[in-house]
């Protein structure tokens, strides 16, 4: 048998924390054959990024390889240092990083940064470098490469920056590219194009790819083999198709079940009564011809939201889907009463909110509550869990202290936060726990409408599945109306009854979820649906 | 863009005008005046009517608003009043003392920058972790040193113990060595602290990891990626540093008995020579505002991100 | 299963070892921080009960004992009037500390009030306050102090007030930017969203979250104030002789620089140690605020 290109053997990496080394990966072993795509899949804390960093020799300063070997073409590079490793980095192993925005030096031109890798590895001829830079930029699909080479990173979009970083990674035709979550910071449609590009380049040059991702759908689409990691240990390794069709380990089965992109189809009728049965007078949210302009530099008008209308029946879920810049955030802020629309009408549970000011607006907030995307920044770091959830009740002077405590404790119990956590501060909680606190805070006033602004996007898939389940149960118990904002159509398919798709501030599609998925009317919606990862293998399985 | 520049200059002028007005009110209008302090001295043998005549000549008895307008007009034409102690125009005092201080300050600033850069790079590149930590803590020691004490210690060590530098009639260059060091060390500290912090921060940026992944060595990354990004924010404290430099000069010149703006300030405070103090205050505010204005206007030249301010939001 | 599962994984920093928070805190305390608190505590004791530390009179000297080098009896030596230097330093602590305390108090109260007010109200008020702060910042600290001293006259309290006014701008700027930062945060918006009134949100969220870094600045300014007050004392604008104020001690020792090195060295070292300690504590406070 020939030696594999990369062979990781019993790799254990530890980080120094408070004078002690704590292991984060335990005996991780896998191999990558020439030209093969291997995906390292896992949630946060699984050790997937650490493993990738170890392979390219760029562990953080407090990290070290405790034991194990990393063989590149049979040679153990695990303990190489300094110049020796520098010589193979970029030439034999290269990197496509996670966040394109911060991965390019803001004060150097694109051309200089692409040319740098050639310079580092000995190219001295300035003209040759310039020519090769243009060639590379053109190769990764950037229009007008001469112009791009002269531009600075801030002048390019996220997708374009990721293309530049790919150009750097392929510049010296390395044998192995490490792609560390290469698309998780990008919009879904861009994400797909970038993955397609990596695929295409890989096939052209025969480069192997070690793809690090949290998204089993992406791995399913792109990888030949999948390595599933949890808590620093390998749970399962196998050919992609086989692993997806018949996962052996319990964890892989759970990941597969929880991944929205891989679970099949829409949910059964979600509300206690089918949407059509509820009369229109029962609309919990009514938005008509919403327009929102922003002033830029005090002069120019920028229309962030352009004529959006939708209605949400009581007890159902309406999703607003769009990529960055689609106007979904502006819409939501207007609906909740934080923003003032330029024109149009918003009515929540029969109250027209445009007329509300001062204390009337404050009183109105009891009807509609918002759960933010980021449970780290939406909870006051100095409050305890209990006082965070209690605060809305105090704001409205409802109940006395004892009754408040009963209500808060009951609700915390309901959202699944054990008593032991109630006097903790947000910092001491996990992401999922924090989002449970945020949900409890939103529900404690018994609102009619809850707006969920990307409320599960920051969470790991298994946690995401738990929170989605909780939200679903709460809706059924309390007859809540949800406005669910997301960029992720796969999640939307799971939780919503109806959906509006926004693009550049316009509403390009609206209707029942099942129908929109079956028969999208706008090409943009079609594109969004196609961009959901995990469909290729699905078709194959 | 030009609108921004005009607005920025307007703001600078406003600050200067308030500074002038405040210093006028505080220093000229409120306190007991220097003329009485100087001329009431019985040794001079001046009678009350002679003092009154002098007061009239200095214009201290006219209404406040008249004095204010007069003073403002005078300042705008470069007439900063009359030094009571020196018996010469303030402008003359300033001009005679400026060159010495400017020389001391520019040498001190240069040395401070060299020390700060040296400390920052050693703190990043030194071979052992313990050595880097040790070097990193030097600036916090430097900021804790009283400037005057530092000067005295230097004299004590280098002039009296080691006898390397003569205290009595040193040569022009020799006489400047210790003052320049005294001035430079406290100034270098905040600069080094900011640099070290910035280098640390920039080093954790993903683009540094990308550069390493290209195969660049740590020193290549430091020089070609980290340094410029780390130096840029230090520009913003240039104005503050200028103030520190001036304050340091006051103390240094006092300790070493040098002539200059610092010595002039010290003397003027002692004798409550308010017109000199006011001129120095307004002059230093002018320098501060000018330095900051220049930094603000130059910043886009160094940082491409600011060149297209008018562009659409990200 | 709605209870929290073991699969609820930390999104933040997975590498932080969890554990008993108290134990973790104890383990995290650095020796230099303990030393810094120790030095400050000792100096505070100097100020409160100087007689516990020395039996010598700080003002009345013994002429026969003049300019003695450090020895077992006079551990830091004596000055030209035969006064024990250690006693003078111990008795001087009260001047430096109260001076610094008054200075920080003036800066903290005036500056933070201005900054909080500007940040919370916004608009024209904010604009006006910040222009005044700009002016204060445009004049070098020492010159501003000297100008104020000319106005108020020489003396310990006046010097302290001058130092305090000089730090007003820094406090105002920091507290304003902190208030603005906290006000923009999502948890403040969420507090309004759940029905909080302006005052209740200000009191429950904005103030507690803005004040930590202001406190860190206060500790830093304490060190700065000790430096500034000793500088003013050295220049002769602070406490009059024979007060054993630290800056003045150094000024007096200056005349004997060639013969009695201890007269300048010792009080200077004390100042450096106290300032270093204050800065170290400030650094620790600032970290907690992150």
């Amino acid at each position: 048998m020939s030696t594999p290109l990369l062979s990781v053997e019993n790799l254990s990496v530890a980080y120094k924390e408070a004078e002690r080394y704590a292991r984060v990966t335990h005996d991780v072993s896998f191999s990558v054959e020439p030209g093969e795509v291997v995906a390292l899949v896992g949630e946060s804390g699984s050790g997937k990024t650490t493993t990738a960093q170890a392979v390219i020799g760029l562990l953080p300063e407090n990290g070290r390889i405790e034991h194990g070997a990393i063989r590149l073409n049979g040679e153990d590079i695990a303990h190489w240092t300094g110049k020796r490793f520098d010589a193979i980095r970029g030439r034999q192993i290269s990197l496509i990083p996670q966040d394109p925005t911060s991965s390019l030096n803001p004060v150097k031109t694109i051309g200089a940064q692409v040319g740098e890798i050639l310079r580092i590895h000995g190219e001295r001829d300035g003209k040759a470098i310039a020519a090769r830079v243009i060639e590379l930029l053109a190769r990764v699909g950037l229009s007008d490469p001469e112009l791009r080479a002269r531009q600075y990173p801030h002048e390019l979009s996220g997708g374009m920056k990721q293309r530049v970083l790919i150009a750097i990674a392929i510049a010296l035709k390395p044998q192995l590219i490490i792609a560390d979550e290469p698309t998780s910071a990008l919009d879904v449609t861009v994400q797909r194009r970038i993955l397609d590009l990596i695929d295409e380049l890989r096939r052209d040059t025969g480069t192997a790819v070690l793809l690090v991702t949290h998204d089993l759908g992406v791995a399913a689409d792109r990888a030949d083999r999948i390595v599933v990691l949890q808590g620093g240990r390998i749970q399962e390794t196998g050919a992609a198709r086989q692993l997806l069709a018949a996962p052996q380990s319990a964890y892989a089965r759970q990941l597969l079940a929880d991944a929205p992109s891989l679970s099949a189809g829409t949910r059964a009728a979600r509300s206690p009564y089918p949407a059509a049965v509820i009369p229109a007078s029962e609309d919990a949210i009514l938005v008509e011809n919403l327009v929102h302009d922003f002033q830029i530099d005090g002069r120019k008008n920028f229309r962030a939201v352009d004529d959006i209308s939708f209605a949400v029946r009581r007890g159902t879920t309406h999703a607003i889907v769009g990529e960055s810049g689609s106007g979904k955030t502006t819409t939501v802020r207007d609906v909740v009463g934080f923003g003032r629309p330029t024109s149009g009408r918003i009515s929540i549970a029969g109250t027209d909110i445009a007329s509300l000011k001062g204390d009337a607006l404050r009183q109105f907030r009891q009807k509609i509550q918002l759960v933010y995307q980021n449970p780290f920044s939406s909870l006051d770091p100095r409050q305890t869990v209990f006082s965070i959830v209690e605060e809305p009740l105090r704001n409205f002077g409802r109940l006395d202290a004892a009754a408040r405590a009963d209500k808060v404790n009951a609700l915390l119990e309901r959202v699944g936060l054990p008593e032991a956590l109630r006097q903790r501060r947000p910092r001491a909680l996990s992401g999922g726990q924090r989002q449970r606190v945020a949900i409890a805070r939103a529900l404690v006033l018994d609102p009619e409408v809850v707006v969920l602004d990307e409320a599960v996007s920051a969470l790991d898939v298994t946690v995401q599945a738990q929170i989605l389940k909780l939200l679903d149960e709460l809706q059924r118990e309390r007859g809540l109306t949800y406005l669910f904002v997301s960029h992720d159509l796969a999640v939307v398919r799971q939780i919503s009854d109806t959906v509006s798709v926004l693009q550049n501030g316009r509403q390009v599609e609206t209707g029942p979820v099942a129908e929109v998925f079956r028969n999208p009317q706008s090409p943009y919606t079609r594109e969004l649906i196609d961009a959901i990862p995990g469909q290729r293998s699905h078709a194959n399985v | 863009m030009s609108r921004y520049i005009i607005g920025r200059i307007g703001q600078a002028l406003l600050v200067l005008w308030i500074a002038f007005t405040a210093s006028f009110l505080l220093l000229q209008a409120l306190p007991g005046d220097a003329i009485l302090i100087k001329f009431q001295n019985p040794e001079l043998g001046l009678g009350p009517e002679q003092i009154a005549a002098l007061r009239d000549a200095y214009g201290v008895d006219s209404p406040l608003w008249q004095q204010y307008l007069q003073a403002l007009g005078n300042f705008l034409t470069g007439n900063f009043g009359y030094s009571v102690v020196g018996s010469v125009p303030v402008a003359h005092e300033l001009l005679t003392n400026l060159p010495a201080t400017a020389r001391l300050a520019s040498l001190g600033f240069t040395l401070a920058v060299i020390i700060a850069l040296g400390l920052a790079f050693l703190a990043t590149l030194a071979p052992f972790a313990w050595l880097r930590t040790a070097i990193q803590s030097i600036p916090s020691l430097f900021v804790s040193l009283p400037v005057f004490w530092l000067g005295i210690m230097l004299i004590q060590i280098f002039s009296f113990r080691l006898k390397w530098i003569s205290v009595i009639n040193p040569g022009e260059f020799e006489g400047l060595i210790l003052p320049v060091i005294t001035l430079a060390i406290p100034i270098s500290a905040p600069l080094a602290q900011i640099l070290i912090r910035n280098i640390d921060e920039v080093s954790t940026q993903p683009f540094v990891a990308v550069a390493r992944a290209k195969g660049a060595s740590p020193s290549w990354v430091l020089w070609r990626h980290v340094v410029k990004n780390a130096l840029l924010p230090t520009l913003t404290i240039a104005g503050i540093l200028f103030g520190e430099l001036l304050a340091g000069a006051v103390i240094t010149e006092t300790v070493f008995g040098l002539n200059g703006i610092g010595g002039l300030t010290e003397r003027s405070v002692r004798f409550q020579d308010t017109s000199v103090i006011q001129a120095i205050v307004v002059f230093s505010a002018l320098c501060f505002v000018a330095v900051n204005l220049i930094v603000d206007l130059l910043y886009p030249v160094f940082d491409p991100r600011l060149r297209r301010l008018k562009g659409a939001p990200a | 299963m709605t209870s929290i599962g073991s699969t609820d994984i930390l999104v933040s920093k997975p590498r932080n070892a969890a554990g008993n928070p108290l134990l973790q805190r104890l383990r995290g305390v650095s020796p230099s921080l303990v030393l810094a608190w120790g030095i400050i505590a000792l100096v505070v004791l100097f100020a409160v009960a100087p007689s516990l530390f020395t039996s010598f009179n700080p003002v009345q000297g013994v002429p026969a004992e003049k300019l003695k080098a450090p020895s077992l009896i006079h551990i830091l030596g004596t000055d030209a009037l035969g006064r024990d230097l250690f006693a003078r330093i111990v008795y001087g602590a009260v001047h430096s500390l109260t001076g610094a305390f008054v200075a920080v108090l003036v800066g903290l109260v005036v500056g933070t009030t201005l900054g909080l007010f500007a940040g919370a109200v916004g608009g024209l008020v904010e604009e006006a306050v910040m222009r005044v702060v700009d002016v204060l910042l445009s004049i070098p600290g020492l010159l501003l102090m000297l100008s104020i001293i000319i106005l108020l006259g020489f003396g310990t309290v006046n010097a302290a007030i001058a130092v305090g006014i000089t730090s007003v701008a820094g406090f105002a700027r920091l507290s304003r930017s902190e208030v603005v930062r906290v006000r923009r945060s999502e948890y403040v918006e969420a507090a309004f969203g759940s029905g909080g009134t302006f005052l209740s949100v200000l009191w429950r969220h904005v103030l507690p979250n803005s004040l930590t870094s202001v406190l860190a600045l206060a500790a830093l300014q304490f060190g700065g104030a000790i430096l500034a007050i000793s500088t003013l004392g050295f220049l002769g604008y602070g406490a009059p002789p024979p007060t054993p104020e630290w800056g003045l001690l150094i000024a007096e020792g200056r005349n004997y620089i060639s013969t009695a090195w201890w007269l300048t060295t010792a009080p200077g070292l004390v100042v450096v140690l106290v300032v270093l300690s204050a800065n170290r504590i400030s650094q620790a406070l600032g970290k907690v605020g992150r």
Side-chain angles (χ1 to χ4, degrees):
Chain A
M1 203 178 126
S2 65
T3 45
L5 170 64
L6 174 77
S7 147
V8 174
E9 294 160 15
N10 300 320
L11 183 67
S12 294
V13 178
Y15 286 105
K16 196 172 182 176
E17 286 281 340
E19 305 301 309
R20 269 168 6 126
Y21 276 92
R23 270 196 198 178
V24 292
T25 69
H26 308 269
D27 296 314
V28 169
S29 303
F30 62 92
S31 64
V32 181
E33 301 295 331
E36 190 184 34
V37 180
V38 173
L40 288 180
V41 180
E43 298 180 298
S44 42
S46 64
K48 58 186 191 302
T49 297
T50 297
T51 307
Q53 284 169 337
V55 168
I56 197 167
L58 290 176
L59 281 173
E61 215 164 272
N62 63 337
R64 73 165 189 213
I65 294 174
E66 296 228 305
H67 69 78
I70 299 168
R71 290 185 204 286
L72 188 69
N73 296 317
E75 197 167 2
D76 187 2
I77 58 172
H79 297 284
W80 279 19
T81 45
K83 283 205 161 58
R84 225 171 151 198
F85 218 130
D86 288 342
I88 64 164
R89 248 183 245 128
R91 186 180 282 286
Q92 291 183 45
I93 309 179
S94 67
L95 174 75
I96 301 174
Q98 179 165 16
D99 177 11
T101 312
S102 53
S103 292
L104 288 167
N105 188 338
V107 300
K108 291 186 129 187
T109 60
I110 298 298
Q113 297 190 58
V114 178
E116 186 182 19
I117 190 168
L118 308 171
R119 242 174 253 281
I120 290 170
H121 291 282
E123 178 63 63
R124 288 282 167 268
D125 180 356
K127 270 196 185 138
I129 290 175
R132 178 86 176 111
V133 165
I134 304 293
E135 189 189 322
L136 282 166
L137 292 177
R139 182 67 197 84
V140 294
L142 284 168
S143 58
D144 203 350
E146 284 88 0
L147 170 68
R148 302 292 170 232
R150 285 194 308 272
Q151 282 179 315
Y152 287 93
H154 69 279
E155 297 171 88
L156 272 56
S157 70
M160 287 156 86
K161 279 182 242 188
Q162 196 57 292
R163 284 174 195 271
V164 172
L165 287 156
I166 292 172
I168 295 171
I170 60 165
L172 295 171
K173 302 193 173 69
Q175 297 168 297
L176 177 66
I177 294 178
I178 292 172
D180 182 7
E181 301 269 14
T183 58
S184 55
L186 301 172
D187 276 331
V188 272
T189 51
V190 183
Q191 194 169 349
R192 179 164 174 237
R193 277 176 236 138
I194 294 291
L195 288 170
D196 284 346
L197 174 67
I198 296 176
D199 256 359
E200 180 195 330
L201 294 168
R202 180 186 64 79
R203 274 196 302 272
D204 280 5
T205 54
T207 300
V209 174
L210 182 61
L211 177 67
V212 178
T213 179
H214 67 282
D215 191 335
L216 200 54
V218 168
D221 279 354
R222 312 286 168 175
D224 301 312
R225 282 190 304 126
I226 295 179
V227 177
V228 178
L229 283 165
Q230 186 203 17
R233 288 193 168 80
I234 290 188
Q235 299 296 324
E236 188 161 350
T237 309
R241 222 177 256 202
Q242 216 169 350
L243 192 147
L244 290 166
Q248 300 299 306
S249 65
Y251 182 68
R253 271 200 296 277
Q254 193 193 349
L255 265 190
L256 205 59
D258 288 344
S261 53
L262 294 174
S263 61
T266 52
R267 305 274 294 257
R270 295 188 18 80
S271 55
Y273 352 86
V277 175
I278 311 168
S281 61
E282 289 280 317
D283 282 341
I285 308 174
L286 185 65
V287 174
E288 285 176 339
N289 308 101
L290 183 71
V291 173
H292 197 126
D293 291 340
F294 284 106
Q295 303 258 306
I296 298 169
D297 294 343
R299 282 179 280 171
K300 256 186 295 175
N301 254 344
F302 170 68
R303 184 151 289 191
V305 173
D306 190 0
D307 195 18
I308 287 176
S309 307
F310 59 86
V312 189
R313 298 281 158 87
R314 187 182 304 276
T316 68
T317 301
H318 183 76
I320 296 182
V321 177
E323 298 179 296
S324 49
S326 63
K328 59 184 197 291
T329 304
T330 310
T331 307
V332 161
R333 294 182 60 80
D334 287 350
V335 168
V336 192
F338 285 138
R340 288 274 160 189
T342 310
S343 67
R345 197 166 86 89
I346 298 171
S347 159
I348 305 296
T351 312
D352 190 338
I353 66 167
S355 58
L356 295 177
K357 274 196 211 78
D359 201 55
L361 180 62
R362 198 174 78 85
Q363 295 298 337
F364 158 77
R365 296 200 191 283
Q366 299 179 66
K367 290 188 176 176
I368 183 165
Q369 287 289 307
L370 176 63
V371 177
Y372 292 82
Q373 165 170 15
N374 187 338
F376 292 80
S377 58
S378 60
L379 303 179
D380 186 338
R382 296 183 158 265
Q383 281 186 311
T384 62
V385 167
F386 181 86
S387 54
I388 289 171
V389 179
E390 186 196 22
E391 183 172 335
L393 292 174
R394 291 172 63 187
N395 285 336
F396 289 104
R398 290 199 200 165
L399 312 173
D400 58 34
R404 276 205 308 263
D406 287 346
K407 177 155 189 165
V408 169
N409 285 327
L411 189 57
L412 285 171
E413 184 72 47
R414 178 63 195 89
V415 299
L417 283 169
E419 217 166 335
L421 297 179
R422 287 176 199 164
Q423 292 308 319
R424 296 243 183 111
R425 281 167 223 288
R427 197 179 312 197
L429 304 184
S430 71
Q433 287 168 343
R434 286 179 220 213
Q435 207 56 306
R436 287 173 198 268
V437 175
I439 290 169
R441 174 175 61 186
L443 292 181
V444 76
L445 289 172
D446 299 312
E448 295 180 36
V449 177
V450 177
V451 178
L452 302 154
D453 185 4
E454 299 271 12
V456 296
S457 308
L459 305 174
D460 278 324
V461 270
T462 51
V463 182
Q464 190 178 54
Q466 291 168 21
I467 299 286
L468 286 173
K469 184 157 174 273
L470 172 68
L471 287 171
D472 189 45
E473 289 166 0
L474 290 169
Q475 181 172 46
R476 287 170 198 275
E477 285 168 21
R478 299 171 178 238
L480 293 167
T481 307
Y482 287 153
L483 187 60
F484 188 89
V485 182
S486 182
H487 67 282
D488 188 344
L489 264 183
V491 172
V492 165
R493 182 170 54 181
Q494 265 185 17
I495 190 162
S496 317
D497 301 295
T498 51
V499 60
S500 295
V501 180
L502 306 192
Q503 184 191 20
N504 300 329
R506 289 170 182 278
Q507 191 170 16
V508 296
E509 181 115 23
T510 188
V513 168
E515 213 165 297
V516 168
F517 267 81
R518 204 180 315 121
N519 185 18
Q521 296 302 305
S522 88
Y524 180 68
T525 312
R526 174 88 260 161
E527 196 184 347
L528 277 182
I529 293 172
D530 287 346
I532 299 176
Q535 296 181 28
R536 297 177 173 192
S537 56
H538 229 66
N540 295 344
V541 168
Chain B
M1 207 59 179
S2 63
R3 198 183 188 185
Y4 166 75
I5 294 176
I6 291 168
R8 195 62 195 71
I9 293 175
Q11 199 188 342
L13 290 178
L14 180 69
V15 167
L16 269 184
W17 174 69
I18 302 178
F20 171 80
T21 307
S23 66
F24 173 82
L25 287 176
L26 292 180
L27 294 171
Q28 302 280 12
L30 290 179
D33 46 279
I35 297 167
L36 283 180
I37 293 171
K38 178 167 178 181
F39 296 110
Q40 259 178 347
N41 188 342
E43 282 172 29
L44 291 171
L46 293 175
E49 53 292 347
Q50 282 161 304
I51 291 176
L54 275 166
R55 292 180 65 83
D56 197 35
Y58 282 107
V60 285
D61 289 330
S62 46
L64 193 59
W65 63 268
Q66 223 167 24
Q67 288 186 42
Y68 173 70
L69 285 183
Q70 178 107 38
L72 185 59
N74 285 344
F75 257 81
L76 291 176
T77 52
N79 175 2
F80 304 143
Y82 214 66
S83 160
V84 179
V85 179
S87 301
V88 286
V90 174
H92 181 262
E93 289 269 39
L94 283 182
L95 282 179
T96 38
N97 284 300
L98 196 56
T101 303
R103 189 177 52 184
L104 176 67
S106 48
L107 286 174
F109 184 70
T110 312
L111 183 61
V113 170
I114 293 170
I115 295 175
L117 287 174
L119 283 176
F121 291 136
L122 282 177
T124 321
L125 290 178
F128 311 106
W130 62 266
L131 189 57
R132 290 196 293 270
T133 318
I135 294 167
Q136 273 168 18
S137 59
I138 291 178
S140 50
L141 175 66
F142 281 1
V143 280
S144 306
L145 295 174
V147 181
F148 60 95
W149 183 72
L150 174 66
I152 292 172
M153 285 297 113
L154 290 175
I155 295 176
Q156 198 163 18
I157 295 168
F158 292 102
S159 298
F160 288 104
R161 300 283 140 203
L162 303 172
K163 303 203 185 320
W164 288 355
I165 290 163
S166 139
V167 238
I168 304 141
N169 294 325
E172 200 185 347
F173 172 73
E174 198 182 3
L176 269 177
I177 296 176
L178 293 184
V180 166
I181 296 176
T182 307
L183 187 55
I185 282 183
I187 306 272
S188 71
L191 208 53
Q193 277 175 328
I194 290 183
L195 267 177
I196 291 174
R197 200 175 58 220
N198 288 346
I199 288 177
D200 272 2
E201 252 165 42
V202 175
S203 301
T204 60
Q205 292 289 308
F207 70 79
V208 169
V210 168
R212 294 278 284 131
K214 290 174 185 173
S217 64
S219 65
W220 173 295
V221 170
L222 180 69
W223 289 109
R224 287 168 210 246
H225 291 278
V226 178
V227 167
K228 193 174 174 191
N229 281 289
L231 278 177
L232 273 175
T234 53
L235 276 181
T236 54
I237 62 155
I240 302 278
L241 279 186
F242 171 81
E244 295 272 312
L245 208 55
L246 206 77
V250 172
I251 299 161
T252 310
E253 289 175 1
T254 310
V255 171
F256 289 91
L258 300 173
N259 290 321
I261 299 284
L264 180 66
T265 308
E266 198 268 334
R267 192 197 72 192
S268 306
V269 173
R270 192 166 300 284
F271 295 106
Q272 308 216 340
D273 199 345
T274 49
S275 36
V276 179
I277 291 291
Q278 194 195 355
I280 292 172
V281 166
V282 174
F283 171 74
S284 54
L286 172 72
C287 294
F288 174 88
V289 165
V291 167
N292 274 348
L293 188 63
I294 292 168
V295 166
D296 275 8
L297 297 183
L298 278 185
Y299 215 91
V301 176
F302 299 111
D303 191 339
R305 279 166 294 187
L306 297 178
R307 270 175 226 163
R308 300 208 166 185
L309 269 179
K310 47 198 166 178
Chain C
M1 185 200 81
T2 49
S3 73
I4 104 151
S6 56
T7 43
D8 232 356
I9 291 165
L10 264 174
V11 176
S12 66
K13 279 176 106 192
R15 275 152 214 157
N16 269 350
N20 185 339
L22 187 72
L23 216 83
Q24 247 181 346
R25 198 175 285 183
L26 275 180
R27 202 188 300 145
V29 171
S30 82
S32 65
L33 186 59
V34 175
L35 191 66
W37 277 113
I39 289 174
I40 295 291
L42 184 67
V43 177
V44 168
L45 275 181
F46 280 2
V48 178
S51 52
L52 284 182
F53 298 90
T54 175
S55 54
F56 290 104
N57 186 317
V59 184
Q60 218 68 50
V62 183
E65 294 282 299
K66 70 173 188 181
L67 293 178
K68 289 268 195 272
S71 64
L72 282 178
I73 305 162
H74 300 287
I75 56 169
L76 293 178
T78 61
D79 69 2
L81 298 177
R83 294 175 293 198
D84 180 72
L85 183 58
F86 178 69
R88 282 179 70 70
I89 289 177
V90 168
Y91 279 89
V94 70
H95 300 281
S96 297
L97 288 193
T98 45
F101 185 74
V102 169
V104 172
L105 204 66
V106 169
L108 185 73
V109 172
V110 180
T112 310
T113 312
L114 278 177
L116 288 180
F117 191 59
V121 177
L124 266 179
V125 175
E126 182 174 13
E127 197 59 24
V129 170
M130 293 332 282
R131 277 303 85 73
V132 171
V133 167
D134 278 352
V135 173
L136 284 175
L137 284 175
S138 73
I139 301 165
L142 186 69
L143 275 183
L144 192 58
M145 286 175 216
L146 295 182
S147 307
I148 295 165
I149 282 179
I150 290 183
L151 187 68
L152 299 177
F154 300 167
T156 318
V157 178
N158 292 348
I161 292 174
V163 173
I165 293 177
T166 308
S167 66
V168 163
F171 279 109
R173 211 152 86 142
L174 177 73
S175 52
R176 175 191 156 269
S177 72
E178 280 295 295
V179 168
V180 170
R181 177 185 67 83
V182 174
R183 264 185 63 177
R184 285 208 197 110
S185 69
E186 277 184 353
Y187 58 81
V188 164
E189 193 185 81
F192 281 118
S194 55
T197 56
F198 179 77
L199 283 179
S200 74
V201 174
L202 191 71
W203 181 250
R204 276 187 214 144
H205 302 284
V206 179
L207 280 186
N209 282 293
S210 338
L211 287 183
T212 325
S213 43
V214 175
L215 214 64
L217 180 66
L220 189 70
Q221 286 292 346
F222 187 80
I226 293 213
L227 272 185
I229 284 170
S230 70
T231 304
L232 294 177
F234 171 80
L235 292 173
Y237 307 144
T243 319
E245 196 276 326
W246 293 342
L248 199 56
L249 289 185
I250 299 173
E252 288 168 355
R254 213 178 143 198
N255 301 326
Y256 307 95
I257 187 169
S258 58
T259 49
W261 56 267
W262 56 91
L263 285 181
T264 46
T265 309
L269 278 179
V270 172
V271 173
V272 173
L273 281 178
V274 173
V275 177
L276 265 179
S277 305
N279 292 356
R280 179 68 189 81
I281 290 167
S282 157
Q283 193 195 359
L285 287 176
K287 239 179 223 159
V288 173
R290 292 302 116 188

